[in-house]
Amino acid sequence: MDLRVFTEPQQGASYDTLLTVAKATEDLGFDAFFRSDHYLSMGSADGLPGPTDAWITLAGLARETSRIRLGTLMTAATFRLPGVLAIQAAQVDQMSGGRIELGLGAGWFEQEHQAYGIPFPPEKFSRLEEQLAIVTGLWRTPRGKTFDFEGKHYQLKGSPALPKPAQSRVPVLIGGHGAVRTPRLAAQYADEFNMPFSSVEDSRKQFARVATAAQAAGRAPSDLVYSNALVFCVGTDEAQMARRAAAIGRQVDELRVNGLAGTPDEVVDKIGRYSEAGSARIYLQMLDLHDLDHLELIASRVMPQLG
């Protein structure tokens, strides 16, 4: 079971804060550092000092880390034209020495689009599908050849399809709860399918849908990595758990149901249930970015039990 650190910087974080967390992620033995791609805080968070851009952040971290994978969960297809995104992600992959992963979603938070003058078009899912075809098509095009695409939303003609990523294949992540279109898209384009903030049983059902879609598309279901994203709140006792839950505006009992909360042994047991449902990777949603001791507790008391 891989454990990855997943941050939500739109809730309030500077680049320096994210760098500190990323370096702790690397030093403590976690597999990867991922961040959301949002420009507006949610809920009661003030979002100070203001948003940071996902791909600029990852470019900086690419030069200041050496081992961990780096990626987005998820980049919004509404934020960037697909050709520009392909260039950005390929460049950051080169800067990192081949450690980038691209999580790409349709985009859903209308308020942030309004706040920063970003169009929020209808038919977002069909745009996402075209973006996936374009980004992967550009990367796949042999050097010296050109790439053309004629879609409803995007058209490319005579693209040199450069630059290329350092990796021969940048892992693409697709996620979501949709019962039909999402599994089909994952089967066609994804290297990993992520189930965000879902129960063990709901994850099991969605993983099965994706596996069925993969078979229908002529792929072995085992070609894909299946993963979960879950908020975590771990403590050595109830008092420490309560303090950590309060710091993110949640309750321990609720987090025990809807996330990974409890003592290290409790969390290991729940991770085991997700593993039995088919999950091979957990993205630990870290909401208090200043509590590095929280990561240390996971590294010292949870990771050694996962094998």
Side-chain angles (χ1 to χ4, degrees):
M1 176 68 72
D2 291 335
L3 293 185
R4 296 181 159 190
V5 175
F6 167 44
T7 61
E8 302 270 10
Q10 76 277 358
Q11 299 301 87
S14 66
Y15 172 76
D16 286 340
T17 297
L18 295 172
L19 174 60
T20 299
V21 176
K23 286 186 171 180
T25 298
E26 184 158 271
D27 292 343
L28 290 169
F30 290 92
D31 181 60
F33 175 94
F34 271 59
R35 61 155 291 163
S36 60
D37 190 6
H38 285 293
Y39 292 129
L40 195 67
S41 61
M42 303 170 196
S44 60
D46 59 24
L48 295 175
T52 50
D53 182 83
W55 286 97
I56 291 176
T57 297
L58 294 179
L61 298 180
R63 308 302 287 182
E64 299 196 75
T65 60
S66 61
R67 179 188 59 80
I68 50 173
R69 308 288 296 176
L70 301 166
T72 51
L73 201 65
M74 301 283 187
T75 277
T78 49
F79 286 176
R80 300 167 186 87
L81 296 172
V84 174
L85 177 61
I87 291 169
Q88 289 175 323
Q91 182 180 1
V92 179
D93 194 53
Q94 291 176 0
M95 294 169 68
S96 72
R99 293 183 285 125
I100 286 296
E101 304 188 8
L102 171 64
L104 189 59
W108 61 270
F109 190 20
E110 186 172 5
Q111 285 177 277
E112 70 186 337
H113 293 74
Q114 294 171 344
Y116 286 96
I118 303 168
F120 190 70
E123 301 178 309
K124 285 182 287 297
F125 198 89
S126 61
R127 287 176 180 271
L128 169 62
E129 188 162 6
E130 289 191 15
Q131 287 220 355
L132 285 162
I134 291 166
V135 171
T136 58
L138 287 167
W139 290 341
R140 216 174 33 238
T141 300
R143 293 180 186 274
K145 302 292 185 180
T146 59
F147 177 80
D148 296 326
F149 184 85
E150 187 66 34
K152 178 179 179 181
H153 306 290
Y154 307 104
Q155 298 81 40
L156 286 74
K157 185 177 293 292
S159 172
L162 296 171
K164 300 300 185 194
Q167 299 173 90
S168 59
R169 182 184 179 99
V170 173
V172 172
L173 288 73
I174 294 173
H177 301 84
V180 178
R181 293 190 300 175
T182 297
R184 176 183 60 78
L185 210 58
Q188 187 172 359
Y189 293 106
D191 299 278
E192 178 176 336
F193 179 78
N194 181 263
M195 192 62 170
F197 311 113
S198 301
S199 68
V200 171
E201 189 52 40
D202 286 346
S203 298
R204 189 191 314 276
K205 291 176 182 177
Q206 187 70 332
F207 293 159
R209 294 187 189 109
V210 173
T212 298
Q215 286 182 315
R219 294 180 67 182
S222 58
D223 283 350
L224 286 89
V225 174
Y226 300 86
S227 64
N228 287 91
L230 295 162
V231 64
F232 72 109
C233 180
V234 186
T236 55
D237 55 36
E238 290 294 329
Q240 190 177 64
M241 282 180 260
R243 287 195 300 273
R244 285 185 165 139
I248 60 173
R250 305 281 285 270
Q251 298 291 324
V252 174
D253 289 345
E254 175 263 323
L255 289 169
R256 275 193 163 104
V257 174
N258 298 313
L260 293 175
T263 64
D265 288 345
E266 285 181 276
V267 169
V268 168
D269 179 70
K270 191 163 187 181
I271 288 174
R273 296 201 294 274
Y274 278 99
S275 178
E276 290 170 0
S279 185
R281 182 172 289 159
I282 302 288
Y283 292 81
L284 299 168
Q285 186 193 39
M286 184 177 183
L287 296 176
D288 183 355
L289 297 179
H290 300 287
D291 188 0
L292 299 182
D293 288 343
H294 205 176
L295 290 182
E296 197 282 328
L297 181 62
I298 295 288
S300 64
R301 299 282 299 278
V302 174
M303 281 200 292
Q305 298 189 61
L306 299 179

